[in-house]
Amino acid sequence: NAGVTQTPKFQVLKTGQSMTLQCAQDMNHEYMSWYRQDPGMGLRLIHYSVGAGITDQGEVPNGYNVSRSTTEDFPLRLLSAAPSQTSVYFCASSYGFGTPGQYFGPGTRLLVL
Amino acid sequence: AQSVTQLDSQVPVFEEAPVELRCNYSSSVSVYLFWYVQYPNQGLQLLLKYLSGSTLVKGINGFEAEFNKSQTSFHLRKPSVHISDTAEYFCAVSGSNDYKLSFGAGTTVTVRA
């Protein structure tokens, strides 16, 4: 199993550009989520999904969209990048209750100029 | 909703000395508790988790944590650290019927020879 994979590993954007961060897992996990990590703030939940076709907002959803058309994939879309979205983004997946976010991807470093 | 407070942002420690990382949480419902470790430029790895049962939980790499419901704490300990334990450590909590994780701000452990 590859586990949780994320692409790209690093990206530089200009303010106003859009992009999609990719996340995939091959463990047949129902639950997937996106976090952003900023210094001194830990990880904050952006969006999550409890299964294909079902998504919901987390703590900091503004400026981000998600969709879940398959169990395996959970892309995160930045509609119009802003410097405040400079961060490290982590995708995570798990089987269900009691094991949320148990498997994390390696992260995507995003710099918005 | 749940929240987590990690009481120390930085913990310097000498090699082979013990270390304790403090974590307090707040919640109005039953919780699951987790400790994650993040090595430099890597994703998060689960160290240990408390779901139910024994309040003393043993994890990987010689770490253990104790759940104290009356003090709403979940402190992480290791009796003898190695240089390789230098990393950032995150405490996290979820409701027992909730997928979402709330993270603390993190504690940076620096082990010196």
Side-chain angles (χ1 to χ4, degrees), chain A residues 41-93:
Chain A
M41 302 187 74
L43 279 77
R44 293 180 291 170
L45 182 65
I46 304 171
H47 285 286
Y48 66 99
S49 169
V50 299
I54 307 170
T55 64
D56 205 348
Q57 297 181 350
E59 182 183 355
V60 288
N62 291 342
Y64 307 95
N65 273 0
V66 292
S67 60
R68 184 97 179 268
S69 56
T70 67
T71 299
E72 294 78 20
D73 300 299
F74 191 44
L76 178 72
R77 297 182 187 84
L78 280 70
L79 306 175
S80 178
S84 60
Q85 293 178 303
T86 293
S87 188
V88 182
Y89 292 86
F90 288 99
C91 179
S93 73

Side-chain angles (χ1 to χ4, degrees), chain A residues 31 35 37 40-43 45 48 50 57 90 94-102 104-106 109, chain B residues 32 34 36 38 41-44 46 49 51 88 90 94 96-106:
Chain A
Y31 179 77
Y35 294 87
Q37 181 180 23
M41 302 187 74
L43 279 77
L45 182 65
Y48 66 99
V50 299
Q57 297 181 350
F90 288 99
S94 71
Y95 287 109
F97 290 145
T99 59
Q102 188 169 358
F104 278 79
R109 291 183 176 273
Chain B
Y32 296 145
F34 307 81
Y36 287 86
Q38 184 180 33
N41 298 314
Q42 295 188 24
L44 276 72
L46 182 67
K49 61 184 178 183
L51 304 183
E88 190 160 20
F90 293 96
S94 74
S96 59
N97 61 350
D98 190 352
Y99 288 99
K100 295 180 286 185
L101 270 176
S102 296
F103 283 84

